[in-house]
Amino acid sequence: MNDQAAVQKRAGLSGKVVAVTGAASGIGASLSRRFAREGACSLYPRQEN
């Protein structure tokens, strides 16, 4: 493993942007919480009726 890969592995998702669909419940909700704990900036698109 090179130095850059080692740094990225330690950094987790810090500084990354993720988009989660279905974040209101189920797997999407679990993933959104996990991404937040890992330091990611999350987007939760939703449909307006």
Side-chain angles (χ1 to χ4, degrees), residues 14-30:
S14 181
K16 304 290 184 185
V17 177
V18 297
V20 179
T21 59
S25 64
I27 294 171
S30 295

Side-chain angles (χ1 to χ4, degrees), residues 6-7 13 24 28 33:
V7 169
L13 294 173
R33 287 191 296 271

Side-chain angles (χ1 to χ4, degrees), residues 21-38:
T21 59
S25 64
I27 294 171
S30 295
L31 285 173
S32 63
R33 287 191 296 271
R34 175 68 183 264
F35 290 149
R37 281 195 306 268
E38 294 288 327

